[in-house]
Amino acid sequence: MPNPSEEPLMMPPPEPNGFVRTLNSMGYMSASLDPFSQAFTEFAPRAPGPCLDIGAAYGVASLVALRNGASVISNDIDERHLKILSDRAPASDRSRLTLAVGDFPDKLDFPQGSLGAVLICRVMHFFDGPKIERAAEKVMGWLAPGGKIFVVNETPFLRTALTFFPTYEARLKAGDPWPGVVENVGAHDPKRANILPSLMHLLDEKTLRRVFSKAGFVIERLEMFPRPDFAPDIQLDGRESIGLVGRKG
Ligand SMILES: C[S@@+](CC[C@H](N)C(=O)[O-])C[C@H]1O[C@@H](n2cnc3c(N)ncnc32)[C@H](O)[C@@H]1O
């Protein structure tokens, strides 16, 4: 009998749209960079310190930032993802790559003022509201002055969230601070229920602006954008994702 722990770790084969499923049922790594992740990889080499990629999976953004010359700390809650990421990094870039396994934000720590840029791409939709607030506050502490945070998240404007939309609108009207919390993902997207945690937090402009302004960030950019790379049954009207760039000081 082969010992499973001795089997080589492999990145799963891509889906038809190029997305690659995670090994821990936390959705998919995207196939290419969205405009905000791209901006992170371009800022990273000139950031005022090393850059941190939270929930890096197999390295879609980390590997590009490394290629651009940045020093990169790749974080993930699943050590297997980071091992595959490291194996994918060219030998010439590995001296600038650090792996940091841990549950962000509660089980991950860096010295105050030590980082130049932080990317949180398609990870916060697994967090409840208070955890998103802790995330923003922690990153604010870790960044050096002039450092930047880049955030990408899914919005309520997904075809798979259409049945959730009336709940979202009713919560907005009632002034709920977290209108986009989908408590039962299986009911809305049964096709993907086995590859997603049960809670999904769809974020809008108002919520992100409030949380990151409160943490002290100067919001440089905040907008929704289309995802032609998402599976056709998820795409809706060009507002599927939202991105934020915030600056410290
Ligand atoms: C949907 S994938 C996104 C991967 C990549 N950032 C992208 O944009 O394609 C989410 C990744 O975040 C990781 N993750 C989820 N919760 C996390 C947490 N609390 N701390 C660190 N990583 C986390 C998962 O293991 C997974 O690799």
Side-chain angles (χ1 to χ4, degrees):
M1 281 281 283
N3 178 351
S5 66
E6 284 170 12
E7 282 176 17
L9 275 174
M10 305 281 283
M11 189 163 83
E15 303 290 309
N17 66 342
F19 278 41
V20 183
R21 80 176 161 76
T22 52
L23 297 177
N24 57 352
S25 302
M26 289 197 131
Y28 298 84
M29 181 182 81
S30 43
S32 57
L33 296 176
D34 62 76
F36 287 81
S37 304
Q38 172 84 28
F40 164 78
T41 62
E42 288 165 4
F43 178 71
R46 55 190 170 84
C51 63
L52 170 67
D53 182 5
I54 305 271
Y58 314 113
V60 61
S62 290
L63 296 178
V64 178
L66 278 173
R67 193 167 71 222
N68 289 350
S71 293
V72 178
I73 304 166
S74 297
N75 155 263
D76 204 280
I77 200 168
D78 193 316
E79 198 169 6
R80 296 170 297 174
H81 296 169
L82 295 179
K83 168 80 175 79
I84 294 170
L85 185 162
S86 167
D87 289 347
R88 295 179 76 211
S92 53
D93 288 346
R94 284 208 195 123
S95 63
R96 284 178 285 107
L97 172 65
T98 305
L99 305 178
V101 66
D103 184 347
F104 169 78
D106 298 321
K107 302 271 166 59
L108 192 66
D109 276 300
F110 296 96
Q112 296 290 296
S114 66
L115 300 179
V118 176
L119 173 68
I120 313 175
C121 183
R122 303 179 49 250
V123 179
M124 283 193 334
H125 49 237
F126 303 130
F127 297 179
D128 63 16
K131 191 166 177 178
I132 292 177
E133 289 181 331
R134 293 198 297 282
E137 283 159 19
K138 246 189 163 169
V139 172
M140 174 48 92
W142 293 341
L143 282 173
K148 294 189 187 187
I149 187 169
F150 300 76
V151 177
V152 175
N153 215 81
E154 263 79 278
T155 70
F157 305 103
L158 305 177
R159 190 167 299 282
T160 41
L162 280 178
T163 54
F164 167 73
F165 204 74
T167 308
Y168 168 72
E169 282 191 308
R171 288 184 187 156
L172 268 187
K173 226 180 211 169
D176 186 329
W178 309 108
V181 176
V182 182
E183 280 96 357
N184 182 0
V185 173
H188 299 286
D189 192 355
K191 193 171 137 192
R192 295 182 182 82
N194 63 335
I195 179 80
L196 290 169
S198 57
L199 180 137
M200 184 92 182
H201 200 157
L202 305 173
L203 288 164
D204 58 18
E205 203 173 312
K206 190 175 168 197
T207 310
L208 282 182
R209 186 179 296 284
R210 185 189 74 237
V211 172
F212 285 88
S213 302
K214 188 171 164 226
F217 286 98
V218 177
I219 311 290
E220 287 191 341
R221 196 173 160 197
L222 176 58
E223 68 208 25
M224 292 188 279
F225 60 94
R227 296 305 299 237
D229 52 336
F230 277 5
D233 66 312
I234 301 179
Q235 290 182 47
L236 185 64
D237 60 3
R239 295 181 290 172
E240 293 86 8
S241 278
I242 186 161
L244 174 146
V245 182
R247 195 181 70 246
K248 175 169 178 171

